[in-house]
Amino acid sequence: MQLVGAGNSIIWRLSAILLVLGIVIAEDPYRFMEWNVTYGDIYPLGVRQRGILINGQFPGPGIYAVTNDNLIINVHNNLPEPFLISWSGLQNRKNSFEDGVYGTTCPIPPGKNFTYKLQAKDQIGSFYYFPSLAFHKAAGGFGGIRVLSRPQIPVPFPQPAADHRLLIGDWYKTDHQILKATLDSGRMLPSPDGILINGRGRNGALFIFKQGKTYRLRITNVGLQSTLNFRIQGHQMKLVEVEGTHTVQSTYSSIDVHVGQSYSVLVTANQAPKDYYIVVSTRFTNQVLTSTAILSYKNSAGKASGPIPNAPFGLDWSLNQARSIRTNLTASGPRPNPQGSYHYGQIKIEKTIMLQTSEGKVNGKQRFGINSVSFVPGDTPLKLADYFNIKGVFRVGSMPYFPTGRPISLDTSVMGLDYKAFVEIIIQNSDNNIVQTFHLNGFYFRVVGMDKGQWRPSSRSQYNLKDAVSRYTTQVYPMSWTAIVVALDNKGMWNLRSEIWARQYLGQQFYLRVYAPGNSTRDEYPIPDNALLCGKAAGKKLI
Ligand SMILES: *[C@@H]1O[C@H](CO)[C@@H](O)[C@H](O)[C@H]1NC(C)=O
Ligand SMILES: *[C@@H]1O[C@H](CO)[C@@H](O)[C@H](O)[C@H]1NC(C)=O
Ligand SMILES: *[C@@H]1O[C@H](CO)[C@@H](O)[C@H](O)[C@H]1NC(C)=O
Ligand SMILES: *[C@@H]1O[C@H](CO)[C@@H](O)[C@H](O)[C@H]1NC(C)=O
């Protein structure tokens, strides 16, 4: 409480000064959070293991915000090792310093704290946060973020009776440090042990619905590697939102949620009042892992029973579903103007980039990469090296714009791109065995096309240039391509990575340096006054 008070008092003092000066500004509201990160025992699959707790909770507390709210989150690291949290989907506009990945932000040392200053600027939708260093994500430390529309902005569906968060993901019983050591030794991980729904195993999570009411479920795949199919026995789901975009409201009996993706669906309790299974199962894996939660009607007449519904079969089903997910052009987004008012299909593409997944051995150890470059962190966060003009940490251009066909090699890979350029990025998955997902920090992109096989210039003829969905995480099917277009309207250093966590850890990621000369704070905020400094930036003066 004391700490919250301290934060508030600064705001009060600022307000007082502004009052004295006779200035009245309508400032966006602030939400203060104090987070204590610790290890603690958890038993999600029935055996004791070490989890990462936030304020004693696994998963961590949910973040609630309204468009434009400021989020001031003071993270106290009480783990015996460095720790960072990243915000998947919060854009951190003009502010890559707060992005919480090692390329932008110094780790919080053990026993220390760092206050993130974030803003849900011009955003709505369902996102999540997660620990970005080491292999912490396999131990918890993640939670949901929901950004609600401002009261005056219409939402394209009636207010649901309740808004439930479902964090689903594959899970290992093995300690995260053992998993990390396996990867460090150059070996791959075994298959996960199970599936968790809100941190619980089979039938551990319960959702109570009232007959006749409609509920919003915000589903995020917080897992490490598995595409998950989500379905509810006896119930249909109406898709309404994907990662900040209000979608065409199509009805589905199941939805594929790829690693790192978020979907909002509406579910109406219109069946006989009893209990039903909520089912989550892995896709495109040899061994199918399945878990269930319980949807219970108030005044339920009986327990869930009968066969659990099967997932639909095959890659084509999944690909067709992905193509059917489109933006509702007439619905509002974070602003009152409809989402269709931005005609991305009419903007000239200034640059085409092709990213191809690569893998191979370096010094006898398994590595993954993009365009034959496998990322290794520098000794200093790249954003800080850039800011303080420290040489020798990274080289712009170390990530090529096209596949090179060379054998895989290690580098602190950074791709240089112009601020405000409009670019096309084609991601080619050259692995026949896994569904990939790629995530870009700092930007929304339009998923204009995806198909099996090799992308060719003629593939552009099948792009959706009208109502492609705008999101920040896209799947790329095995031996297939996905094309996105993105306006690089956010200056800074931004992580582009595979969400397949072991592959990300073993180098399948790089940074985009979105650059323009000059240092106007209109385009990019200065370094935060509480920024931690480390590596070659240690001891530098902040102002
Ligand atoms: C965080 O939790 C640990 C362990 O419960 C406790 O010792 C410590 O005082 C807490 N710190 C804060 C800032 O709440
Ligand atoms: C650590 O927390 C204290 C209050 O508990 C706060 O004053 C300080 O700014 C925080 N440190 C950082 C680096 O954010
Ligand atoms: C799109 O949004 C509009 C405006 O809110 C709504 O009336 C309409 O039903 C939605 N259309 C579809 C197909 O989801
Ligand atoms: C930009 O930053 C550099 C060094 O950090 C400084 O010398 C220069 O005056 C700044 N330019 C403007 C326009 O603020």
Side-chain angles (χ1 to χ4, degrees):
M1 271 332 283
Q2 173 120 40
L3 301 173
V4 176
N8 271 324
S9 81
I10 292 166
I11 304 302
W12 278 115
R13 244 176 282 152
L14 270 177
S15 312
I17 292 165
L18 293 172
L19 275 178
V20 169
L21 295 174
I23 302 167
V24 180
I25 51 161
E27 205 190 10
D28 295 314
Y30 279 76
R31 292 174 194 262
F32 296 91
M33 282 153 261
E34 290 289 331
W35 282 4
N36 190 1
V37 180
T38 56
Y39 277 128
D41 287 344
I42 54 173
Y43 304 79
L45 292 177
V47 294
R48 180 160 64 107
Q49 63 185 115
R50 187 167 61 146
I52 293 178
L53 314 181
I54 298 179
N55 295 346
Q57 297 172 46
F58 167 78
I63 297 180
Y64 293 80
V66 174
T67 305
N68 294 345
D69 280 0
N70 294 290
L71 303 168
I72 311 297
I73 309 174
N74 194 352
V75 177
H76 298 262
N77 175 18
N78 285 304
L79 306 183
E81 70 244 22
F83 183 77
L84 267 184
I85 288 184
S86 190
W87 319 91
S88 192
L90 275 186
Q91 274 184 295
N92 297 329
R93 290 194 64 77
K94 309 176 187 178
N95 204 356
S96 58
F97 292 109
E98 308 272 7
D99 214 29
V101 283
Y102 179 63
T104 62
T105 316
C106 291
I108 309 172
K112 298 276 191 263
N113 68 292
F114 173 66
T115 310
Y116 289 90
K117 296 169 188 162
L118 311 169
Q119 189 179 16
K121 184 73 183 163
D122 282 332
Q123 292 199 261
I124 54 161
S126 311
F127 313 112
Y128 76 107
Y129 63 85
F130 67 94
S132 64
L133 296 182
F135 216 62
H136 285 157
K137 201 181 175 193
F142 45 70
I145 303 174
R146 65 189 90 182
V147 184
L148 304 175
S149 299
R150 287 170 288 166
Q152 66 271 30
I153 311 287
V155 173
F157 47 88
Q159 172 82 27
D163 183 330
H164 293 293
R165 189 77 210 199
L166 284 98
L167 301 173
I168 60 177
D170 51 16
W171 189 260
Y172 288 93
K173 292 177 190 166
T174 308
D175 189 83
H176 69 98
Q177 282 179 343
I178 295 173
L179 298 174
K180 178 176 175 294
T182 303
L183 296 172
D184 287 338
S185 73
R187 287 170 299 141
M188 291 306 295
L189 301 181
S191 294
D193 297 310
I195 305 289
L196 303 189
I197 302 173
N198 287 351
R200 289 155 183 267
R202 193 174 285 267
N203 298 339
L206 171 69
F207 301 88
I208 295 173
F209 282 21
K210 277 193 191 145
Q211 182 77 41
K213 300 273 190 215
T214 296
Y215 296 82
R216 180 176 188 164
L217 306 185
R218 296 182 193 247
I219 308 153
T220 296
N221 184 337
V222 294
L224 300 172
Q225 63 185 64
S226 312
T227 291
L228 297 173
N229 183 267
F230 183 93
R231 52 203 185 272
I232 306 175
Q233 192 182 30
H235 293 74
Q236 298 285 306
M237 299 177 280
K238 191 193 271 184
L239 185 70
V240 291
E241 181 247 344
V242 169
E243 295 162 25
T245 300
H246 286 135
T247 59
V248 168
Q249 295 174 11
S250 306
T251 298
Y252 299 96
S253 48
S254 82
I255 292 183
D256 277 352
V257 186
H258 302 275
V259 185
Q261 291 187 328
S262 297
Y263 293 86
S264 284
V265 297
L266 298 180
V267 178
T268 299
N270 55 8
Q271 299 298 308
K274 57 184 269 301
D275 293 358
Y276 297 87
Y277 291 118
I278 294 173
V279 188
V280 180
S281 60
T282 59
R283 292 281 263 168
F284 316 114
T285 47
N286 294 332
Q287 182 207 359
V288 177
L289 296 172
T290 302
S291 191
T292 47
I294 300 296
L295 189 174
S296 179
Y297 279 54
K298 214 170 156 73
N299 307 320
S300 166
K303 291 212 175 309
S305 62
I308 63 170
N310 286 323
F313 180 76
L315 194 147
D316 285 317
W317 183 92
S318 190
L319 185 57
N320 285 335
Q321 177 170 75
R323 289 184 182 133
S324 75
I325 297 172
R326 290 174 294 128
T327 300
N328 180 342
L329 297 177
T330 60
S332 296
R335 289 166 180 262
N337 44 328
Q339 297 177 134
S341 56
Y342 174 65
H343 300 285
Y344 70 94
Q346 290 167 24
I347 304 172
K348 192 174 167 296
I349 288 168
E350 289 161 68
K351 188 167 192 64
T352 294
I353 294 161
M354 184 175 283
L355 306 177
Q356 183 166 31
T357 61
S358 337
E359 65 179 277
K361 290 217 153 81
V362 179
N363 305 327
K365 291 181 175 176
Q366 180 66 38
R367 298 291 302 184
F368 292 89
I370 296 165
N371 292 351
S372 303
V373 187
S374 182
F375 181 84
V376 282
D379 60 3
T380 306
L382 312 181
K383 182 63 199 163
L384 298 186
D386 213 10
Y387 182 81
F388 291 114
N389 206 8
I390 300 166
K391 302 285 178 223
V393 178
F394 69 91
R395 187 173 54 83
V396 177
S398 45
M399 170 54 63
Y401 297 118
F402 286 92
T404 60
R406 287 198 284 262
I408 196 162
S409 63
L410 308 179
D411 208 336
T412 304
S413 34
V414 174
M415 178 183 282
L417 288 166
D418 292 338
Y419 177 48
K420 294 199 170 155
F422 190 73
V423 302
E424 171 192 39
I425 305 177
I426 297 134
I427 311 171
Q428 188 83 47
N429 179 4
S430 46
D431 191 320
N432 196 18
N433 291 314
I434 67 158
V435 179
Q436 271 281 5
T437 6
F438 279 88
H439 176 96
L440 175 57
N441 282 13
F443 304 92
Y444 286 95
F445 49 70
R446 301 270 171 169
V447 184
V448 291
M450 55 177 78
D451 208 348
K452 291 183 275 189
Q454 177 74 36
W455 182 91
R456 296 190 187 344
S458 61
S459 308
R460 288 192 179 113
S461 64
Q462 52 171 294
Y463 282 5
N464 176 355
L465 297 177
K466 197 176 121 241
D467 58 1
V469 77
S470 167
R471 64 188 313 173
Y472 55 85
T473 315
T474 185
Q475 72 270 38
V476 191
Y477 291 99
M479 301 304 281
S480 301
W481 57 268
T482 295
I484 63 176
V485 296
V486 52
L488 298 177
D489 55 359
N490 200 6
K491 222 174 146 176
M493 189 73 77
W494 302 106
N495 191 215
L496 193 157
R497 61 172 177 267
S498 171
E499 289 285 281
I500 310 303
W501 215 239
R503 297 190 178 211
Q504 175 273 158
Y505 182 77
L506 293 178
Q508 202 154 56
Q509 57 167 318
F510 65 96
Y511 285 81
L512 297 183
R513 180 179 186 253
V514 177
Y515 175 79
N519 35 17
S520 161
T521 55
R522 199 192 54 213
D523 296 331
E524 189 174 18
Y525 297 144
I527 190 165
D529 55 13
N530 66 335
L532 303 174
L533 299 177
C534 56
K536 293 193 178 108
K540 295 271 181 192
K541 288 259 180 315
L542 279 176
I543 297 171

